[in-house]
Amino acid sequence: MNSITLRRPDDWHLHLRDGAMLEGVIGDTSKDFARAIIMPNLVPPVVTTEDAQAYKDRIVKAIPSGHKFEPLMTLYLTEHTEADDVEAGKNSGLITAVKLYPAGATTNSHGGVRDMDKAMPVLERMAKIGLPLCVHGEVTTPEVDIFDREAVFIETVLEPLRKRLPELKVTMEHVTTKDGVDYIKSSKANLAGSITTHHLIINRNAILVGGIKPHYYCLPVAKREEHRLALRAAATSGDARFFLGTDSAPHIDPLKECACGCAGVYTSINTMSCLAHVFEQDNALDKLEAFTSLNGPAWYGLAPNDETITLVKRDEPVAFPTKRETGAGIVTVFDPMFPLHWDVA
């Protein structure tokens, strides 16, 4: 197969940042993707519907001319989030989901939830009105090994929450472990998971072998090979509970290449090419559309896009830029460590 046509894809987990960085990176998403769920962990975070509207206005203003792209807005859940504001945001059509960051779990998450009981009034309202909760599924307690954070989160936070509020719709974002895949598969309702491009391609060796590679460092951190293979099997299975959320997260190189580097991998430029390579390797090109274009909209109650894109397999490798220059600084583009022949025509 040398070409494949898909409904235009969506990205169900995206960091666009703000200001000059937003302006520098948004075109890499909007050229291929019709919609994206936008993460709210700015400084300060997007905590109210008013914040979300202002952020959406800035995003829309930055979309390059000729690109058709819809940002789907989220709210950053805190222990002081007001349920009435969340419901108003949902009813207005502005708010697609609310995001749970355990405090300290990742970039700009220090204002996240420490005591789940304090967030329960909002979560109960969300369950009642059918608004999904997106979770960064890791505990942050220091005694838990960083490679076990997802499994412990499932056991100690997510499972008790879902037993307490079984009607709450939960998206486990950027699943990184076989534990997460198996937990989603075992669920009978109201649970799905997004999977990133880079977690389908790298394991923890990419970060650590031969020296520290900061541009492969992300949170949740890449795990052992057995977990990567479980993610690949889930993504390429066609199972409607799994869909693409790139978690593409730009940081300028000086903030990555330092003694305490930021977590994040920037994949927006070459995600579709990387995914076509992965799915072809696994003899699953016929499942690519489900993963990128169908399962996510179905989960979030939206229609799939009417437009299509075509991927063409080139004889020579596609030359993607290794760096993206932005007004905020230079961002390194994800290198999958193999040549990419699939290209969006």
Side-chain angles (χ1 to χ4, degrees):
M1 185 180 294
N2 293 317
S3 70
I4 180 171
T5 297
L6 318 168
R7 286 183 184 258
R8 197 171 173 212
D10 300 304
D11 186 347
W12 299 98
H13 183 135
L14 178 67
H15 296 270
L16 285 175
R17 312 305 187 199
D18 211 347
M21 180 66 82
L22 163 64
E23 294 168 1
V25 302
I26 188 171
D28 291 332
T29 290
S30 61
K31 69 181 175 59
D32 291 340
F33 294 89
R35 297 171 291 203
I37 282 191
I38 310 301
M39 291 297 102
N41 58 331
L42 304 181
V43 180
V46 179
V47 296
T48 68
T49 295
E50 183 179 4
D51 295 338
Q53 184 61 65
Y55 186 29
K56 182 176 182 178
D57 292 343
R58 298 195 297 275
I59 293 170
V60 170
K61 185 177 179 180
I63 297 170
S65 177
H67 287 198
K68 184 179 178 182
F69 177 72
E70 180 184 3
L72 304 173
M73 307 309 294
T74 62
L75 295 177
Y76 183 113
L77 182 65
T78 75
E79 295 173 3
H80 307 289
T81 297
E82 296 181 1
D84 287 345
D85 182 61
V86 170
E87 183 168 3
K90 194 260 187 187
N91 290 341
S92 73
L94 175 66
I95 302 303
T96 299
V98 172
K99 179 64 181 275
L100 167 65
Y101 288 104
T106 189
T107 302
N108 301 334
S109 65
H110 297 292
V113 175
R114 298 180 187 276
D115 182 349
M116 287 296 292
D117 284 340
K118 293 181 179 178
M120 283 309 296
V122 174
L123 297 173
E124 289 167 353
R125 183 75 64 87
M126 290 168 59
K128 180 179 179 181
I129 64 178
L131 185 64
L133 175 70
C134 296
V135 301
H136 181 113
E138 293 188 290
V139 296
T140 56
T141 44
E143 64 270 18
V144 176
D145 188 290
I146 192 170
F147 293 102
D148 297 330
R149 283 178 167 188
E150 185 169 290
V152 174
F153 179 87
I154 292 169
E155 179 183 351
T156 64
V157 180
L158 186 54
E159 178 63 10
L161 172 62
R162 295 184 63 240
K163 285 183 175 178
R164 187 170 176 179
L165 276 178
E167 64 274 29
L168 179 65
K169 200 170 187 178
V170 178
T171 307
M172 285 185 65
E173 295 195 309
H174 45 48
V175 179
T176 61
T177 63
K178 184 177 185 297
D179 309 77
V181 168
D182 289 345
Y183 183 66
I184 292 168
K185 286 182 176 179
S186 71
S187 173
K188 299 204 169 32
N190 289 336
L191 184 66
S194 67
I195 300 175
T196 78
T197 309
H198 52 282
H199 283 114
L200 295 173
I201 294 171
I202 65 169
N203 59 30
R204 63 189 189 178
N205 283 357
I207 309 170
L208 299 170
V209 171
I212 295 173
K213 311 295 196 309
H215 296 291
Y216 294 119
Y217 171 60
C218 54
L219 287 173
V221 69
K223 308 297 195 299
R224 291 179 180 272
E225 178 67 359
E226 66 177 307
H227 298 296
R228 186 187 74 88
L229 294 177
L231 296 173
R232 292 262 294 225
T236 60
S237 68
D239 188 323
R241 293 169 290 187
F242 298 99
F243 42 81
L244 175 65
T246 66
D247 194 17
S248 184
H251 291 285
I252 60 172
D253 283 359
L255 294 181
K256 293 285 291 179
E257 301 167 358
C258 61
C260 188
C262 294
V265 176
Y266 187 62
T267 58
S268 293
I269 294 177
N270 55 12
T271 272
M272 291 308 299
S273 297
C274 288
L275 291 177
H277 180 100
V278 166
F279 277 66
E280 183 181 40
Q281 276 191 323
D282 289 9
N283 297 311
L285 276 174
D286 60 321
K287 302 294 197 306
L288 181 59
E289 184 178 52
F291 182 69
T292 63
S293 313
L294 302 178
N295 295 348
W299 172 250
Y300 283 100
L302 300 170
N305 298 303
D306 292 329
E307 303 90 353
T308 62
I309 66 167
T310 297
L311 287 153
V312 176
K313 191 173 184 182
R314 311 291 186 189
D315 292 333
E316 297 298 321
V318 182
F320 288 99
T322 59
K323 306 282 185 178
R324 168 61 73 221
E325 293 189 11
T326 78
I330 293 174
V331 177
T332 292
V333 175
F334 174 66
D335 176 6
M337 297 176 286
F338 47 72
L340 293 169
H341 290 266
W342 286 95
D343 190 18
V344 178

